[in-house]
Amino acid sequence: MSMLQWFRGDDLLTRYFCAWRAHDEDAILRLFTPDATYHVLNKRRVYRGLGDISSYWKRNSCRQKSLHVTWYTILRSRWVRVCWFRADFIDTEEREHNLVRGLMCLARIIHQS
C-alpha cells in the first residue's frame, strides 16, 4: 500500500481530521506509510518518514487547546483528494489564538521499477 494507507479518500480525510481534533498522535501516524512526506507550506518545511512526522505532531498537538477543525472536499478523483480546512485553537506556548486555513492534498503515488 502507498500514500496514507490508500485511499478510501473521504474516509481517510475524516480519520485524519478527527485524529487531529482528538490530539491522537497514534491515529495520525497509522494513516501514514513509513516513507510518507508531510509538507507544511506556511513554514516551508517537509517532514520525512514516521519519526519526523511523529516529532512534528508531538511538538504541535500538545500546544493546541480548544481546537476546532472543519473541512470539506473540493476535488475528488481516482488519484487525488483535495480538501479545504480551517482550524481554530489557542496556542498555549505563544499564548494566542490561531486561525489556520489551508488545503490538504492526498495523492496516490505509483513507484515504477
Side-chain angles (χ1 to χ4, degrees), residues 50-69:
L50 291 179
D52 212 13
I53 294 168
S54 175
S55 294
Y56 169 80
W57 278 99
K58 281 179 184 171
R59 187 172 54 256
N60 287 289
S61 71
C62 66
R63 296 172 51 176
Q64 300 172 351
K65 300 299 178 204
S66 303
L67 175 65
H68 180 73
V69 182

Side-chain angles (χ1 to χ4, degrees), residues 5-100:
Q5 302 308 38
W6 195 232
F7 242 66
R8 289 189 186 122
D10 296 329
D11 175 56
L12 185 61
L13 290 168
T14 298
R15 288 187 291 147
Y16 176 84
F17 286 112
C18 288
W20 183 8
R21 277 197 299 216
H23 300 283
D24 187 343
E25 179 198 344
D26 292 333
I28 290 279
L29 293 177
R30 282 192 300 272
L31 298 173
F32 290 92
T33 58
D35 62 345
T37 58
Y38 187 79
H39 300 256
V40 180
L41 298 178
N42 65 330
K43 295 185 181 199
R44 294 187 173 125
R45 180 73 205 267
V46 178
Y47 300 91
R48 299 182 191 285
L50 291 179
D52 212 13
I53 294 168
S54 175
S55 294
Y56 169 80
W57 278 99
K58 281 179 184 171
R59 187 172 54 256
N60 287 289
S61 71
C62 66
R63 296 172 51 176
Q64 300 172 351
K65 300 299 178 204
S66 303
L67 175 65
H68 180 73
V69 182
T70 56
W71 67 94
Y72 63 89
T73 301
I74 59 176
L75 174 68
R76 181 181 295 125
S77 76
R78 182 175 176 191
W79 306 107
V80 175
R81 297 290 190 275
V82 178
C83 77
W84 177 90
F85 72 91
R86 172 191 166 118
D88 294 82
F89 57 90
I90 305 296
D91 183 325
T92 59
E93 197 171 284
E94 299 292 326
R95 295 190 175 130
E96 63 185 22
H97 176 263
N98 277 302
L99 172 61
V100 178

